[in-house]
Amino acid sequence: SKNIDFLVGLTLYWAEGTKKDTTWSFINSDPDMVLFMYKWMIRYLIIDKKDVRIRLFIHEPYKEENLEYFWAQLLGIDQKSMQHTIYKPTPRINKKNPLYKGCVRMYVTGIEHFRTVIQWKEMLVNSLKV
């Protein structure tokens, strides 16, 4: 495909998506990238929004910032639909990066989505003659 959105999403998945699992999964902390990939998977994998699982991983010092609300608003989903947040322990007491919003993991069960993207990635690699 010469569709730039498709190729960008496929390349991002190649870099940041799961490769050894049976579910399509993508994790990142960049809000723009997460939003792009959320829309990408719904469009190109033809996934219903209600089938997407969202989980936030944040460091403990950011626990009181209601970052679940931030991500729910960004993705246009109900905050209650998100899975339980995982709070990562850290020796730091102070916040290192005030712009940090945590990492979001998006995944969809069903091996067919995973296999489809892995096949697309292989086709891309072959076309690039890597």
Side-chain angles (χ1 to χ4, degrees):
S1 173
K2 297 198 188 289
N3 180 326
I4 192 71
D5 288 348
F6 175 77
L7 292 174
V8 168
L10 185 56
T11 305
L12 288 174
Y13 187 84
W14 185 4
E16 300 287 339
T18 55
K19 318 301 187 296
K20 297 178 182 179
D21 202 347
T22 58
T23 60
W24 185 97
S25 178
F26 182 84
I27 187 167
N28 203 276
S29 63
D30 182 284
D32 293 328
M33 188 180 298
V34 169
L35 179 59
F36 177 85
M37 287 304 291
Y38 180 72
K39 291 177 179 180
W40 185 90
M41 83 171 144
I42 290 166
R43 178 177 179 190
Y44 292 105
L45 294 175
I46 310 168
I47 296 171
D48 191 314
K49 290 180 181 184
K50 69 177 175 51
D51 294 330
V52 179
R53 307 289 180 253
I54 308 285
R55 173 166 278 164
L56 176 61
F57 296 81
I58 59 174
H59 294 287
E60 296 237 350
Y62 298 85
K63 193 173 186 175
E64 302 302 320
E65 293 189 19
N66 195 14
L67 295 173
E68 295 85 355
Y69 177 80
F70 168 82
W71 288 105
Q73 291 297 302
L74 179 75
L75 298 174
I77 62 172
D78 183 352
Q79 186 175 335
K80 293 176 187 172
S81 70
M82 294 175 69
Q83 294 187 317
H84 180 72
T85 297
I86 302 297
Y87 298 101
K88 302 184 292 184
T90 179
R92 299 181 191 274
I93 296 172
N94 298 325
K95 298 172 190 169
K96 185 177 177 184
N97 179 359
L99 301 177
Y100 174 74
K101 303 291 184 197
C103 284
V104 168
R105 178 180 184 232
M106 302 180 285
Y107 69 97
V108 180
T109 59
I111 195 167
E112 66 276 4
H113 302 300
F114 174 73
R115 286 183 176 166
T116 297
V117 175
I118 294 301
Q119 184 174 10
W120 288 342
K121 191 228 19 141
E122 291 303 319
M123 292 168 67
L124 176 61
V125 169
N126 289 337
S127 74
L128 297 172
K129 299 184 183 2
V130 174

